[in-house]
Amino acid sequence: MPLTPIYNFSAGPAVLPESVLRTAQSEMFDYNGTGFSVMTMSHRSDVFASILYHAEQDLRQLMEIPDNYKVLFLQGGASAQFNQVVMNFAEGFKRVDSVVTGNWSQIAHSQMGKLSDCTIHLAADGREFHYQNLPPVSSWDIDKDSAFVHFVINETVHGLQYREVPKLESGMPPLICDMSSEILSRKINVSDFGVIYAGAQKNIGPSGATIVIIREDLLERCSDRVPDVWNYKSHVEKQGMYNTPATYPIYIAGLVFRWLQSHGGVEQMETINTLKAKTLYSAIDGSGGFYQNHVHPGARSKMNVIFTTGDAYLDELFAQESTTRGLQLLRGYKSMGGMRASIYNAMPLQGVEALIDFMKEFQRRYG
């Protein structure tokens, strides 16, 4: 182990709990007495079937997923879902409503129309707030006859998050949410959504698996014209085994789900995440302007905290010097500059405190 603790602030692939990594290490060559690794295990073996089953059941327990929702572990990342939701759910509809609040929802908006004849309608656009605040749900321009409403609940690049989870009134289209960077970080009501999807590499496990949670009745929209590999219904009918799933990422995800259960579940994670975010934002706001976060306080992400000194040279110096203190991958997104601290479930409070100590020291030297 290094003398200086290493804290990984990457936005993804992101930090994983140390105990999960140690369990994976101990089971690398011999999983549960089988004599071989999960990496080399047939996805159709009884052993892997058990891994997949328990991962799904643990996720259902953690998120309180109702019985009328199906859970899939797919590949392609969240970005693949930008097209897949349209292919499966928009046939026969004239319009999809799309809420743009930052980088990833903008990409989703631009991609959704590429494989559909329906109009991808801009229901709300955060550009009017310079992506420093979020358009309230009451302002979304939604047609009740739209195929669905798509939004990203937490924008990793711009550091924005809907603190109050959006919910649509009865009779409105299904709500489809990219929850990649905040899934399992706080309690949500799954029944408020038609579909939730999330890339695993932020709060769940390594890259390679994508969680998709689908309200069962929506599967009737999945046309046979959609190729089976992209067809949700085909994957559900094959119990997630239409093709080879990402076996090792699913195994790690299962270990993370068990880690979450042993640490008080989602409710306890929400308490800890709120404390971590409050502590870090207080340090930024209390720096006398040396550090700045321009996001409206009510829209600040609890997962991805962006900040800057306002000086590109100092920002780069901060990113470089922080690594010598074991504070890794704090450089901001390429289009944003500055710094970004991603403080997902597996980031301990001690990591945030270590970052704040360095921030204070850096300000004393350069402020």
Side-chain angles (χ1 to χ4, degrees), residues 84-304:
Q84 203 162 347
V85 292
V86 173
M87 284 191 284
N88 282 272
F89 301 133
E91 183 168 318
F93 290 84
K94 295 181 179 179
R95 170 169 154 170
V96 164
D97 286 325
S98 170
V99 177
V100 173
T101 50
N103 181 78
W104 290 110
S105 53
Q106 177 59 57
I107 294 173
H109 180 81
S110 69
Q111 292 296 309
M112 283 193 291
K114 291 190 173 183
L115 291 174
S116 174
D117 295 328
C118 66
T119 299
I120 309 301
H121 171 69
L122 186 59
D125 191 353
R127 278 185 296 183
E128 66 175 294
F129 306 114
H130 307 290
Y131 296 133
Q132 294 176 357
N133 203 350
L134 293 164
V137 178
S138 60
S139 72
W140 294 2
D141 179 24
I142 299 171
D143 188 324
K144 64 180 179 61
D145 294 320
S146 291
F148 58 82
V149 180
H150 180 275
F151 80 108
V152 175
I153 197 166
N154 183 81
E155 290 279 4
T156 61
V157 172
H158 288 88
L160 293 156
Q161 183 181 43
Y162 275 102
R163 293 287 188 93
E164 183 176 344
V165 179
K167 179 180 180 179
L168 300 183
E169 296 177 357
S170 177
M172 299 303 285
L175 195 56
I176 294 183
C177 178
D178 178 349
M179 205 172 281
S180 296
S181 50
E182 75 144 71
I183 193 168
L184 294 168
S185 71
R186 60 171 167 168
K187 294 195 72 171
I188 58 122
N189 184 3
V190 173
S191 296
D192 290 339
F193 300 87
V195 177
I196 292 169
Y197 65 86
Q201 68 274 13
K202 300 175 186 296
N203 252 342
I204 294 174
S207 58
T210 307
I211 307 294
V212 185
I213 303 168
I214 307 170
R215 202 176 69 212
E216 199 168 18
D217 63 289
L218 292 176
L219 293 171
E220 297 308 312
R221 294 193 191 181
C222 301
S223 168
D224 291 340
R225 298 198 304 142
V226 177
D228 284 347
V229 73
W230 297 111
N231 194 310
Y232 294 131
K233 192 173 184 180
S234 296
H235 283 278
V236 168
E237 289 174 348
K238 297 290 186 179
Q239 289 80 49
M241 291 288 181
Y242 171 78
N243 60 349
T244 307
T247 53
Y248 200 75
I250 291 170
Y251 156 70
I252 297 292
L255 295 181
V256 172
F257 298 155
R258 275 184 262 164
W259 175 82
L260 283 167
Q261 289 171 329
S262 69
H263 285 74
V266 175
E267 187 172 5
Q268 180 63 14
M269 283 298 111
E270 182 170 5
T271 298
I272 296 170
N273 289 330
T274 298
L275 174 60
K276 288 188 297 187
K278 181 180 179 180
T279 302
L280 184 49
Y281 283 119
S282 293
I284 294 168
D285 294 340
S287 69
F290 183 79
Y291 298 109
Q292 304 154 34
N293 173 283
H294 299 295
V295 176
H296 186 279
R300 286 174 164 179
S301 172
K302 294 182 181 180
M303 295 285 98
N304 309 98

